[in-house]
Amino acid sequence: MNVHDFLYYVILPTLTLSVLLVFYRFLRGPSLSDRVVALDLLITIGIGIIAVYAILTNQSSFLDIAMILALIAFLGTVAFSYYLEKREKNE
Amino acid sequence: MSDILIYILSTLGALFILLAAVGFVRMPDLYLRISVTTKAATLGIGLLLACTGIYFHTGSITTRVLAIIFFIILTAPVGAHLIGRASYFIGVPLWKRSKVDHLKGKYKKHTHELSSKQDPAQETPSA
């Protein structure tokens, strides 16, 4: 079992299982903030999947997309919290 | 040599991410969930990215990986603080068995400013 098989048969299923667990909370989460945090965590796990996938396909250009995804995750969380707070303030 | 390092680091990273996901489902409270995801997921993603850096073993890719890790470590606490603050304002309830709420009555409701004294406009019998 070399590195590729290990990543393919052990690491990627583990990450997939965690994505499914987080997605369960994303669908069920009682408040809107739960869903925002779940979205942030989904994108963060997506960065991990992209990192593993870059090893599997031997293409390093996937890391650029991982960096963009990290930017978007932070931007989304900041925008969501800003507008949540603003909506509460205006009422 | 680098293969063994990749085995160890990727296993640890995937385990930490799985722990973060399980904690995210199992925790009873939004604030506890934020705490779990910020710590565990950041460490797990850092380890997985370190794997990629070790595998390619080139200067430019290592720099890229380090930049991503640095960016995630920099922004995860900021985002968690922002969403926690916003959800405290919009009144997401704490766990019903949590003992103490240090912020209770200390935020001014209209200006969203933190004051060290109790806000007299709110009824807070216990100091």
Side-chain angles (χ1 to χ4, degrees):
Chain A
M1 193 182 219
N2 55 359
V3 175
H4 282 78
D5 286 343
F6 180 71
L7 289 177
Y8 200 83
Y9 289 114
V10 179
I11 301 297
L12 275 184
T14 313
L15 293 179
T16 313
L17 184 64
S18 21
V19 166
L20 286 178
L21 285 174
V22 176
F23 201 75
Y24 168 74
R25 177 57 76 184
F26 177 74
L27 289 179
R28 191 173 164 270
S31 67
L32 183 57
S33 306
D34 279 307
R35 297 200 166 99
V36 176
V37 179
L39 194 68
D40 189 30
L41 190 58
L42 277 179
I43 300 178
T44 312
I45 297 175
I47 296 169
I49 291 178
I50 287 176
V52 175
Y53 202 70
I55 296 180
L56 284 177
T57 57
N58 207 3
Q59 285 208 338
S60 63
S61 18
F62 282 120
L63 288 174
D64 297 336
I65 298 161
M67 187 179 285
I68 305 269
L69 266 188
L71 279 167
I72 288 176
F74 177 62
L75 207 67
T77 309
V78 170
F80 264 121
S81 51
Y82 176 74
Y83 283 113
L84 278 179
E85 200 176 324
K86 201 173 164 188
R87 185 179 73 173
E88 194 268 342
K89 217 170 171 178
N90 287 342
E91 277 173 0
Chain B
M1 179 57 205
S2 71
D3 280 2
I4 299 172
L5 218 53
I6 287 176
Y7 282 129
I8 295 172
L9 288 185
S10 62
T11 310
L12 279 179
L15 264 183
F16 271 110
I17 292 174
L18 187 66
L19 281 181
V22 170
F24 192 63
V25 173
R26 291 286 298 160
M27 279 290 179
D29 186 358
L30 171 73
Y31 306 101
L32 291 172
R33 277 177 215 139
I34 291 176
S35 149
V36 166
T37 62
T38 309
K39 285 163 200 153
T42 308
L43 182 56
I45 295 299
L47 289 176
L48 281 183
L49 283 169
C51 268
T52 313
I54 290 170
Y55 177 79
F56 284 108
H57 209 275
T58 319
S60 66
I61 295 169
T62 310
T63 315
R64 219 175 289 168
V65 163
L66 284 180
I68 301 175
I69 293 176
F70 179 72
F71 185 77
I72 287 178
I73 288 179
L74 203 67
T75 57
V78 179
H81 171 80
L82 278 173
I83 190 68
R85 185 174 185 270
S87 46
Y88 191 82
F89 281 136
I90 64 176
V92 175
L94 268 73
W95 190 25
K96 62 179 185 297
R97 269 195 267 168
S98 48
K99 296 280 189 210
V100 60
D101 181 6
H102 283 293
L103 289 178
K104 189 173 186 181
K106 296 204 173 166
Y107 264 116
K108 292 174 183 156
K109 266 293 187 189
H110 296 291
T111 57
H112 285 189
E113 281 173 349
L114 184 64
S115 66
S116 57
K117 287 187 296 185
Q118 291 276 327
D119 192 2
Q122 286 179 300
E123 67 283 8
T124 52
S126 63

